[in-house]
């Protein structure tokens, strides 16, 4: 029995569900892991996650399909990305099987909170890997916690897919050229809070960061990747060692080619060549696609398709990907993992 919540009006907010998964790493190995009803972590005050940012996270969703079953979208890709992040921060990897099993276990334990099909709402999963234990010098932790918790979240676009405006940050970068931009770590987000807050205060939905080495090319949005659709049918997205590789982005890149016949291009996106694009968007798990109406860069405001209307290719891509995630459109092999 699904619980009774106002599914249509859910936002993107934390809520405490009955169960989460937790596993401890000690003496060089992971324990079995288990479900717990305790929503509070108990860790040493000296935990390296708190002092030196030795922590990483992931984000993915569970979707209720028309026939009532529940499924995950490419959780193995989140597992692989967390492994790459772990390597960069000298943390132990969580094996893919353990990661996917933990996600399934949490969804099953909280299945009454997986939103009904047709509401656009989903169960958001937050895997977290942190370095804990008694360390005060700058060195990797000897103990780690891997936890996965969940909460229902609403459809990002309540009134339907709609474009918003973004602003280029000229004063701040989110990551260094060979820093941790490609790792999903909290430090990148801490660095983006100030410019992100300023952007919101000025009426923009988020910041567009430029490549930190030359500040001439689009890098990504604070928590989403950038793509543009050229006037001659290319799906273009930036390539850089300091971009966080979005699973949504690589899924769209593949669908653009295989289902819409667009030419997939990963390469430079010079900020002064936005005229190439008929449409543009930001993409990530939370919103899937946020169509970009316009980009403000200093005194220059560039409008793509329209400030109020969503472009046709952006809409097609959004419908295709969400159709696959909710089980209405046939998925490429291996993209869907059934929970029950
Ligand atoms: C998580 C994240 C994204 C989106 O990745 P998805 O796998 O599509 O959810 C994009 N940029 C940053 C900085 C991120 O942390």
């Amino acid at each position: 029995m699904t619980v009774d919540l106002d599914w249509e009006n859910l936002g993107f907010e934390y809520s405490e569900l009955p169960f989460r998964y937790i596993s401890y790493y000690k003496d060089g190995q992971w324990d079995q892991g288990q479900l717990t009803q305790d929503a509070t972590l108990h860790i040493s005050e000296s935990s390296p996650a708190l002092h030196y940012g030795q922590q990483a996270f992931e984000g993915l969703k569970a979707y209720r399909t028309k026939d009532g079953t529940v499924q995950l979208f490419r959780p193995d890709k989140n597992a692989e990305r967390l492994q790459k992040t772990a390597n960069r921060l000298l943390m132990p990897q969580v094996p893919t099987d353990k990661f996917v099993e933990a996600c399934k276990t949490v969804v099953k334990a909280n299945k009454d909170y997986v939103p009904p099909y047709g509401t656009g709402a989903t169960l958001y999963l937050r895997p977290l890997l942190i370095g804990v234990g008694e360390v005060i010098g700058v060195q990797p932790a000897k103990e780690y916690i891997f936890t996965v918790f969940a909460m229902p979240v609403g459809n990002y676009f309540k009134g339907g897919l709609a474009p918003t405006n973004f602003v280029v940050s000229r004063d701040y970068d989110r990551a260094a050229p060979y820093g941790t931009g490609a790792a999903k770590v909290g430090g990148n987000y801490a660095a983006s809070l100030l410019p992100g807050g300023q952007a919101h205060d000025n009426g923009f939905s988020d910041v567009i960061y430029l490549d930190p080495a030359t500040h001439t090319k689009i890098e990504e949005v604070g928590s989403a990747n950038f793509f543009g659709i050229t006037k001659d049918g290319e799906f273009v997205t930036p390539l850089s060692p300091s971009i966080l590789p979005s699973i949504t982005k690589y899924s769209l890149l593949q669908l653009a080619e295989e289902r819409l016949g667009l030419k997939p291009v990963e390469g430079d996106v010079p900020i002064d060549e936005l005229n190439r694009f008929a449409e543009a968007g930001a993409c990530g798990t939370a919103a899937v696609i946020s169509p970009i109406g316009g980009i403000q860069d200093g005194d220059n405001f560039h409008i793509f398709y329209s400030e109020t209307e969503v472009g046709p290719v952006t809409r097609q891509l959004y419908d295709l990907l969400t159709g696959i995630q909710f089980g209405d459109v046939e998925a490429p092999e291996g993209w869907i993992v059934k929970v029950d």
Side-chain angles (χ1 to χ4, degrees), residues 15-86:
S15 60
E16 187 185 319
L17 295 198
F19 295 102
R20 70 277 305 122
Y21 168 94
I22 191 159
S23 181
Y24 296 91
Y25 182 93
K26 261 184 211 148
D27 302 324
Q29 58 184 1
W30 287 108
D31 70 6
Q32 183 66 40
Q34 59 179 359
L35 286 172
T36 170
Q37 300 220 59
D38 186 354
T40 302
L41 291 172
H42 302 272
I43 60 174
S44 167
E45 61 191 2
S46 71
S47 293
L50 301 177
H51 299 257
Y52 305 126
Q54 200 193 20
Q55 67 83 242
F57 68 99
E58 274 299 328
L60 68 163
K61 290 171 169 177
Y63 306 81
R64 175 92 63 190
T65 65
K66 201 178 255 170
D67 63 15
T69 60
V70 179
Q71 58 190 31
L72 297 169
F73 178 73
R74 309 188 83 180
D76 52 308
K77 294 287 162 199
N78 295 91
E80 286 168 20
R81 189 168 63 190
L82 184 61
Q83 289 156 8
K84 287 195 185 123
T85 301

Side-chain angles (χ1 to χ4, degrees), residues 81 174 184 189 220 222-225 244 246-248 283-285:
R81 189 168 63 190
R174 65 173 280 279
K184 205 166 176 77
Y189 280 79
E220 70 166 305
S223 56
N225 279 187
L244 192 285
S246 155
I247 296 161
T248 313
C283 59
T285 296

Side-chain angles (χ1 to χ4, degrees), residues 204-335:
F204 297 100
S205 54
D206 209 341
V207 172
I208 304 263
Y209 292 98
L210 302 181
D211 72 292
T214 71
H215 297 119
T216 58
K217 299 172 281 189
I218 290 187
E219 180 98 341
E220 70 166 305
V221 182
S223 56
N225 279 187
F226 174 90
F227 70 86
I229 309 294
T230 65
K231 293 170 182 167
D232 57 357
E234 290 177 346
F235 179 103
V236 182
T237 186
L239 189 63
S240 149
S242 44
I243 290 178
L244 192 285
S246 155
I247 296 161
T248 313
K249 193 263 296 290
Y250 282 109
S251 303
L252 291 172
L253 193 75
Q254 186 174 332
L255 294 174
E257 180 178 27
E258 290 178 0
R259 307 268 173 112
L260 302 185
L262 300 172
K263 186 177 171 211
V265 180
E266 277 190 276
D268 289 347
V269 180
I271 185 66
D272 59 4
E273 292 178 20
L274 299 181
N275 274 328
R276 307 160 60 193
F277 299 115
E279 301 175 33
C283 59
T285 296
V288 188
I289 294 178
S290 295
I292 300 178
I295 292 181
Q296 185 85 45
D297 181 17
D299 294 335
N300 188 17
F301 185 60
H302 178 88
I303 297 175
F304 292 96
Y305 185 75
S306 151
E307 272 189 272
T308 51
E309 301 282 316
V310 180
V313 179
T314 303
R315 183 174 291 285
Q316 272 183 304
L317 284 167
Y318 179 85
D319 290 345
L320 250 179
L321 184 53
T322 53
I324 287 169
Q325 291 170 330
F326 284 103
D328 295 328
V329 174
E330 199 195 332
E333 173 129 20
W335 280 21

Side-chain angles (χ1 to χ4, degrees), residues 16-22 34-39 105-111 113 123 125 147-151:
E16 187 185 319
L17 295 198
F19 295 102
R20 70 277 305 122
Y21 168 94
I22 191 159
Q34 59 179 359
L35 286 172
T36 170
Q37 300 220 59
D38 186 354
T105 303
V106 170
V107 175
K108 275 188 218 161
N110 299 291
K111 65 176 186 310
Y113 294 85
L123 188 74
L125 301 180
T147 177
V148 181
F149 58 97
M151 72 221 70

Side-chain angles (χ1 to χ4, degrees), residues 30 79-80 82-83 86 92-100 129 146:
W30 287 108
E80 286 168 20
L82 184 61
Q83 289 156 8
Q93 292 187 349
V94 177
T96 301
D97 285 356
K98 183 179 180 73
F99 180 97
V100 174
L129 174 62
F146 171 58

